[in-house]
């Protein structure tokens, strides 16, 4: 009975860890790195700084850009939030519905059709991807954040975050490159990469193997101690699993070492033979 409860608890912990690992955070969605000429270029558009606590994310909860009667609201790396001036358009059911229009997606477009503003979702947070602007040999230019939505109409929005360490410039131009594919651009210091040398970097396969072994060993000790404490009601130092084995480990190692030394001496003495003159 106790073993069954312990296994159930362990299964719940594993499922929780799997959910945490598989659910991308804002930071993970906005991260990108590439190695070129022994240098690692790392981007994190959501990284907080003194001047920009939310990184490149709009503090208003959304960006807004328009062109030729088309209005696009978007947020980089996460869904939009509207505390004021929400979108007022029809057919917003794919992006929060009429009550929360704009708060169920990462990009929303409004077009005037027959005198009515009609909404079209063009981006969702799970579809967000990041890539370098232009040539991969020029990683200092910045990143392109792309998001899309597959519905009645397949649409997308690509936002170029150009590296500019001196100023911030929001999106001012909206271009349509296909039937429902749009591009825009903004300039921000968060679009600049952090560059570090990759020479002699990393732990290597042996260091990684050691860390994995130590992690498994630590997990074994913790799981065993939890089981013995809560289900076997063992207290004190005896909660350590296989305590007798660990206590005798030093003696076993000493005995093995002495046995090796004794064998070496026996081989050395047997190598000498008597010689008669």
């Amino acid at each position: 009975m106790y073993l069954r409860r312990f296994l159930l608890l362990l299964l719940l912990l594993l499922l929780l860890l799997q959910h945490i690992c598989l659910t991308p955070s804002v930071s993970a969605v906005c991260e990108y790195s590439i190695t070129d000429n022994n240098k690692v270029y790392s981007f994190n558009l959501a990284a907080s700084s003194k001047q920009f606590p939310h990184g490149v994310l709009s503090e208003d909860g959304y960006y807004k850009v328009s062109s030729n009667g088309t209005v696009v609201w978007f947020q980089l790396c996460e869904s939009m939030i509207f505390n004021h001036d929400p979108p007022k358009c029809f057919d917003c059911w794919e992006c929060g519905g009429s009550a929360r229009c704009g708060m169920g997606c990462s990009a929303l477009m409004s077009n005037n059709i027959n005198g009515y503003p009609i909404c079209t979702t063009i981006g969702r947070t799970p579809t967000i991807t990041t890539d370098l602007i232009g040539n991969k040999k020029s990683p200092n230019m910045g990143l392109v954040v792309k998001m899309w939505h597959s519905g009645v109409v397949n649409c997308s929005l690509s936002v170029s975050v150009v590296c500019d360490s001196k100023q911030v410039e929001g999106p001012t131009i909206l271009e349509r490159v296909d039937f429902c594919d749009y591009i825009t651009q903004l300039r921000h210091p968060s679009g600049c990469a952090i560059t570090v040398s990759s020479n002699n970097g990393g732990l290597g396969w042996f260091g990684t193997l050691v860390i994995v072994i130590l992690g498994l060993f630590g997990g074994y000790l913790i799981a065993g101690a939890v089981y013995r404490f809560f289900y076997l009601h063992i207290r004190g130092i005896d909660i350590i699993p296989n305590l007798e084995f660990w206590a005798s480990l030093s003696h076993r190692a000493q005995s093995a070492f002495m046995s090796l030394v004794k064998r070496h001496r026996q081989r050395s003495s047997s190598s000498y033979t008597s010689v008669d003159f």
Side-chain angles (χ1 to χ4, degrees):
M1 180 177 179
Y2 290 130
L3 180 59
R4 182 179 300 176
R5 291 181 179 178
F6 173 73
L7 292 176
L8 180 61
L9 178 62
L10 184 60
L11 178 61
L12 292 176
L13 290 174
L14 291 175
L15 291 176
L16 178 62
L17 289 174
Q18 183 183 20
H19 173 74
I20 294 174
C21 294
L22 294 180
T23 303
S25 63
V26 174
S27 178
V29 169
C30 292
E31 291 178 355
Y32 184 88
S33 64
I34 186 173
T35 303
D36 182 52
N37 293 329
N38 294 326
K39 291 183 179 180
V40 178
Y41 297 86
S42 300
F43 298 85
N44 189 348
L45 298 179
S48 177
S49 64
K50 186 176 181 180
Q51 291 182 321
F52 307 102
H54 305 285
V56 76
L57 277 71
S58 172
E59 294 185 357
D60 293 330
Y62 64 93
Y63 288 99
K64 183 178 180 180
V65 61
S66 61
S67 177
N68 298 325
T70 299
V71 183
V72 170
W73 300 265
F74 68 92
Q75 177 66 294
L76 295 172
C77 310
E78 67 176 10
S79 298
M80 295 182 288
I81 298 175
F82 288 90
N83 295 318
H84 60 87
D85 193 23
K88 298 178 181 179
C89 49
F90 297 96
D91 292 342
C92 196
W93 58 274
E94 290 185 324
C95 188
S98 58
R100 302 176 64 252
C101 184
M103 300 180 67
C105 61
S106 57
L108 182 69
M109 175 184 65
S110 173
N111 280 320
N112 194 312
I113 302 177
N114 297 326
Y116 295 95
I118 305 299
C119 288
T120 303
T121 301
I122 59 175
R124 290 190 175 278
T125 305
T127 68
I128 293 177
T129 59
T130 54
D131 202 354
L132 292 176
I133 295 177
N135 193 341
K136 293 185 180 297
K137 295 296 182 181
S138 303
N140 289 316
M141 293 181 61
L143 288 181
V144 177
V145 180
K146 184 175 182 179
M147 57 198 84
W148 63 87
H149 172 65
S150 298
V152 178
V153 180
N154 295 331
C155 302
S156 70
L157 174 67
S158 297
V159 183
S160 296
V161 183
V162 180
C163 170
D164 195 330
S165 59
K166 297 181 180 180
Q167 65 174 343
V168 175
E169 182 180 303
T172 57
I173 299 176
L174 179 66
E175 297 183 14
R176 190 176 75 173
V177 295
D178 207 340
F179 177 72
C180 194
D181 298 317
Y182 293 84
I183 61 173
T184 187
Q185 173 182 298
L186 57 89
R187 308 179 73 89
H188 201 282
S190 296
C192 302
I194 298 176
T195 307
V196 295
S197 175
S198 61
N199 291 332
N200 299 324
L203 297 174
W205 68 268
F206 181 74
T208 304
L209 179 62
V210 171
I211 291 178
V212 170
I213 293 175
L214 291 177
L216 293 175
F217 177 71
Y220 156 75
L221 288 180
I222 293 175
V226 170
Y227 173 73
R228 293 167 69 85
F229 183 86
F230 288 102
Y231 296 99
L232 300 183
H233 303 289
I234 298 175
R235 299 294 183 266
I237 196 174
D238 291 330
I239 65 171
I240 300 176
N242 297 318
L243 179 61
E244 297 80 6
F245 172 76
W246 303 118
S248 63
L249 192 61
S250 60
H251 178 71
R252 292 169 181 257
Q254 183 179 4
S255 300
F257 177 75
M258 295 302 297
S259 177
L260 289 175
V261 171
K262 184 181 295 185
R263 291 181 182 179
H264 178 70
R265 289 179 178 176
Q266 290 177 352
R267 291 178 181 177
S268 298
S269 61
S270 63
S271 62
Y272 293 98
T273 58
S274 59
V275 179
D276 296 332
F277 295 96

